[in-house]
Amino acid sequence: MADLQNDPPAETIAVGNLDDVAPPRREPSTEPADPAAASPAAGSLERARELLAAHPIADGCSGLALALREMPSYDIEDGERMLETDIPRLRDGGVGAQFWSLHVRGEPTGDRAVTATLEQLDLVRALVAECPDGLRLALSAGDLADARNCGRIAALLGPVAGPALGDSLATLRAYHALGVRSVTLAGTRWTQRNGLTPFGQEVVREMNRLGILVDLSGCTLETMRRALVVAKAPVVISHHPEPVPDDVLRQLRANCGVCMVACTGASIRETADRLDHVRETAGPQSVALTGAYDTGSPHAPGLADVSCFPRLIAELLDRDWPQPDIEALTWTNVSRVLRDAEFVSRAIQARRPPSTARPTPQDG
């Protein structure tokens, strides 16, 4: 059980701009509005649960940390019905890992952004320590596997919002030392409409050197395209507000990165359609899932909270997705991206010292 007193909640917005998200206190729906749209074929749901027991979901972006900051009290260990996430429902949903977004409410910049992000990071680390039977901090692909093997849900720190770097690569390195493993580039002066500035390219290189995942969610298309050229390690798109264009998906495939599809479609079928498209365009090795729970975004009937993931997997089974592709979707792709980022990091560190680059006038 934890108690916090913080700022009053703000108006919520859709996933894709988590900086302003402050989910309202509400009882999540337990019954789908359209049962036919959420009811898997006989046997598919049981197969989905069996599959997730061995290959759980690595959820690409959870808004839980920000939601908890807006609540005076909560209990995610025994169950918290005012949220879309708690440990019992994570287990029911076959979730084995989550990236805990460290985006903060409002649009702070400079020192205020750094301070707010550090406070949110501190909350997550404290909560993980308070729930040792349910959660385990994961700093690497090995930690991810260890948490699963011990029956714990891995908590990965990130993404951090790009503005919280304060245009400082030293701050980026400090976040890494504290356990952050993902940063979104959007919202900075070095990610412009026509692509990355020279300093932005250096940020990507330094993230590759550290083993921090480059998250292109919310970036302009030119920034995405340029970052995929500069990056030496796989990148991720964890919570982009719009469908990612096919040319970027094909570029992502060449990069061996991952596009995470959010469970925010109007129906389970629509979410599955989006998964089908990414799988067909980028390949089964480049698709994963983002629950986008506790971000304030609406979810399809039948996908009201984290316990509902098996319904979506059952839909994919009914669409004749091969089991290896589902295993890649739920767990393997995210684990592989983390492992590859670590491999690239070791290779780069052997030949490149920490960057001392700073923004210049041409960086905006």
Side-chain angles (χ1 to χ4, degrees), residues 253-300:
R253 181 176 194 157
N255 167 263
C256 298
V258 170
C259 178
M260 301 172 177
V261 176
C263 299
T264 54
S267 67
I268 289 179
R269 293 191 183 110
E270 182 178 309
T271 301
D273 288 344
R274 294 177 181 176
L275 288 166
D276 280 341
H277 181 76
V278 174
R279 172 173 165 256
E280 291 165 3
T281 307
Q285 77 286 349
S286 291
V287 61
L289 283 170
T290 284
Y293 290 110
D294 294 298
T295 64
S297 296
H299 288 78

Side-chain angles (χ1 to χ4, degrees), residues 297-319:
S297 296
H299 288 78
L303 290 177
D305 59 50
V306 292
S307 70
C308 300
F309 277 117
R311 290 181 174 272
L312 179 57
I313 301 307
E315 172 70 18
L316 300 181
L317 289 170
D318 288 343
R319 295 181 181 215

